[in-house]
Amino acid sequence: MSVIVLERHQPGREASWAAGGMIAYSEAGPHPQFRELARVSAEMYPEFVHRLQDESGVNVDFRSEGKIHFLEEGKAVPEGGTRLSEAELRQLEPQVEFSGEALLLQESTVDPRALMEALVKGALHLGVEIDSGADVAGLELDGNRVSGAITTKTRYTGQQVVICAGAWSSSLFDLRIRPVKGHMLEVIPQRPLRHVIHGNGVYIVPRSDGRHVIGSTIEDAGFDKRVNPDVIQRLHQAAAMLVPNLGEGLIHQSWTGLRPCSADKLPVLGATSLEGLFAATGHYRDGIMLAPITARVLAGTMSGEVPSFDITAFLPNRFAN
Ligand code: GLY
């Protein structure tokens, strides 16, 4: 297919840029189709990263050191979690304060900003065109069929159009997507962690260059992306209760992102009620993890293939009525 990406600002600078980058399929929750989607996507990741790095020449910092997860009271042990004794925890990650039941999960992480850089380079290399700098203002229709997209500058014709506008997706078609704000910060501690640490209402994601990303909040604030320094301080303190050394690390950067959240919090993937119009949005807290399976599902659906597993829970028309 001949593909053009219409991007308002710079590609990958919204929720993808703000993300922590955890491939956290064990936290997928009880929904069976979502669990399957997450599991398949996480399994695709090593090959996805390998191909992307090869195509783009960008290292996306794919790490598979695992995650130490402190179980909240009353919560079930996530799939694949192994309980750690205090001695085992101390051996794995000596800086972490033991606070309740600790589990080890074999999960990976990626640096989402590097991932986006690699995706843009890789896509351009494969012949994808990216036009940025103008808002997509609407869809061009020919009866009940989409025939293109109109930006504030020009119009594009296309036999198939995919809405992948994240938190802004509903401005183009009623997909019941709203923004859910999250605050994040980055510190560079003197002694780095090896594992992702999750507990006390925060997660800490170490990168190989020494940066540690700490997140996040879940806020209903519309499209307001302002950073509240008090919220950043609270996240930093919560992380320092788990890893005291992080409290001494200076805050290097702080930011917010707007997660695209659908009415039932599940992704919105596949064909819409308008012929030729597809959606790939609503990934909420799991957009980075779900990138490879989203690409596979959309490419398959748009080529007329029957998906190899059940995606009915994610179809855009589930919100009709
Ligand atoms: N996936 C991490 C977050 O939404 O905060």
Side-chain angles (χ1 to χ4, degrees), residues 97-112:
E97 294 283 333
F98 186 76
S99 67
E101 194 169 357
L103 307 165
L104 179 67
L105 290 145
Q106 295 306 330
E107 287 181 355
S108 307
T109 61
V110 72
D111 178 344

Side-chain angles (χ1 to χ4, degrees), residues 165-206:
W168 289 265
S169 296
S170 283
S171 66
L172 296 171
F173 193 73
D174 183 18
L175 294 167
R176 309 274 301 277
I177 301 288
R178 66 187 172 91
V180 175
K181 182 175 181 177
H183 274 79
M184 305 279 280
L185 68 145
E186 185 179 277
V187 295
I188 304 185
Q190 281 186 337
R191 273 172 299 140
L193 292 163
R194 254 181 65 208
H195 303 80
V196 172
I197 313 292
H198 190 170
N200 199 26
V202 286
Y203 52 79
I204 305 155
V205 187

Side-chain angles (χ1 to χ4, degrees), residues 19-22 24 182-184 203 215-218 259 284-287:
M22 291 177 288
H183 274 79
M184 305 279 280
Y203 52 79
S216 182
T217 53
I218 298 190
R259 309 175 183 93
Y284 191 35
R285 305 192 70 179
D286 297 302

